[in-house]
Amino acid sequence: MAELPDRPPIAAVQAGVFTGAQALEAGWTPRQVRRRLAAGRWRRIAGRGLVVADGAPTLLERAWAIHLTWPEAVVSHTSAGRLRGFPISDVATLHVIGDRRRPPQPGVVLHRVPLPRGQIARVRGLPVTTPLRTAVDCLALLPVDQAFDLWAWLSTRN
């Protein structure tokens, strides 16, 4: 029997993130999944999202983990700004917009606000608020001095 790679192939299009179900679909057995988790070769980073344990999870990895757990959630606020390249330093918290009650996830803030379909785009395969919606959400969330800096940066980029 051929040896399996270190992660399911689908992880390549999901920033290295995958779920246990995707590992099973790719040929791992439930026992192999449990053993890799128990041995620390794989680790859960948020919700159902798993990664190969080789460093601290990035914002993109955490966003993918939440997307795989809550497919209807949309990355928003400063998290969307970081993914869009806005000069924002808030990387510790992952902000998402969703309309359902979800169990709390460490490091994830769920915003329950209206989000029309026209304000959702894709960045690196993830549903993310559009640039304009992202800018407005960031300006409303950031402390005043950081909001002024972001406004100046955004103003030079239309």
Side-chain angles (χ1 to χ4, degrees):
M1 182 179 189
E3 185 166 331
L4 292 167
D6 65 344
R7 69 189 92 202
I10 189 71
V13 296
Q14 297 173 169
V17 183
F18 57 96
T19 65
Q22 290 173 328
L24 296 174
E25 289 172 11
W28 276 274
T29 65
R31 181 174 182 262
Q32 289 171 318
V33 171
R34 284 191 308 273
R35 289 189 66 193
R36 279 171 172 74
L37 284 166
R41 290 175 60 192
W42 291 350
R43 68 185 159 126
R44 190 169 309 280
I45 58 172
R48 295 184 190 121
L50 305 173
V51 293
V52 173
D54 60 359
T58 65
L59 174 66
L60 182 60
E61 289 171 332
R62 290 185 300 130
W64 265 105
I66 291 300
H67 175 65
L68 293 172
T69 304
W70 305 337
E72 74 281 359
V74 177
V75 180
S76 66
H77 295 77
T78 54
S79 302
R82 290 284 297 172
L83 290 177
R84 292 189 169 284
F86 291 12
I88 298 171
S89 60
D90 179 12
V91 293
T93 305
L94 177 64
H95 293 269
V96 296
I97 294 175
D99 61 352
R100 297 185 188 175
R101 293 218 177 259
R102 294 291 184 177
Q105 293 282 326
V108 178
V109 175
L110 176 62
H111 300 270
R112 292 185 190 100
V113 296
L115 183 63
R117 284 263 171 233
Q119 294 180 1
I120 302 171
R122 293 249 170 208
V123 173
R124 300 182 188 176
L126 290 168
V128 176
T129 52
T130 59
L132 180 59
R133 174 65 188 249
T134 299
V136 170
D137 288 342
C138 288
L139 292 170
L141 182 70
L142 290 170
V144 173
D145 59 331
Q146 292 177 34
F148 277 127
D149 290 344
L150 179 59
W151 175 257
W153 184 87
L154 291 167
S155 297
T156 64
R157 287 155 181 83
N158 293 323

